[in-house]
Each structure stands twice: as structure tokens, then as C-alpha cells.
Amino acid sequence: MPPTEAFQRHPDIVDLPLGPMTLRNSVVAGNTVDGAADDCEKAFATITSLGHNIDGDGNCRLTAAGDLPSRDPLVGPPADSGGPTDTVTLSDG
């Protein structure tokens, strides 16, 4: 999965079939399962971290060098900022 592709603020966004998923320089945060915060509950995949990822609620079990579990990514929701795709803005902090 390309960097930051995993980050979406939509319900149940991480709903993958069984198989491998590799993360590097990615943000996984703001996901829900049945309305409750849960970033990787529906990630029915073997997640491999190549490092430097942020896991908003810490349940993705990311433990490579530079990973930041249970951290607020300090970004706003995806928005139309004038480019061809929605982007997220950085928050203060």
C-alpha cells in the first residue's frame, strides 16, 4: 500500500481480505467498526511494518523502527484543497 493510502476518515475503511499488507511511512487512524474507534479490527491481513507509521489507536501492532502506536496523527479530515485529490491538512502540535 503506498504511503498514506491507508489513512482515510471513513467508517470501516480497513476491510481487507486475508493476505499480506505492508505499511511504510503511513498513517492508519480515524477508522471505526460499528461506530467505535478501531483502526485495524477489520484488517483481516498479515500486517508488516517497514517503519515510520502512525497507528492512531495502537491496535495495528506496528513495532518497526520509527513506528508511533497510539498517537494522534494531528491532521484534519480529507478536504478539497484545490488539487486533483482530497488532501489532509496538518494541525497545530
Side-chain angles (χ1 to χ4, degrees):
M1 186 171 284
T4 70
E5 186 174 322
F7 177 75
Q8 299 287 327
R9 289 191 186 266
H10 300 285
D12 301 333
I13 194 69
V14 182
D15 191 358
L16 303 170
L18 293 173
M21 179 171 76
T22 302
L23 298 175
R24 178 182 58 207
N25 302 326
S26 297
V27 175
V28 183
N31 297 294
T32 61
V33 173
D34 298 325
D38 205 334
D39 290 331
C40 288
E41 175 67 25
K42 294 184 86 173
F44 301 112
T46 301
I47 299 173
T48 301
S49 174
L50 298 180
H52 306 282
N53 301 294
I54 295 176
D55 173 10
D57 66 6
N59 75 3
C60 295
R61 299 169 302 282
L62 304 177
T63 59
D67 283 342
L68 301 172
S70 300
R71 301 286 176 96
D72 184 342
L74 299 175
V75 295
D80 182 352
S81 299
T85 61
D86 288 353
T87 57
V88 296
T89 58
L90 300 177
S91 300
D92 292 336

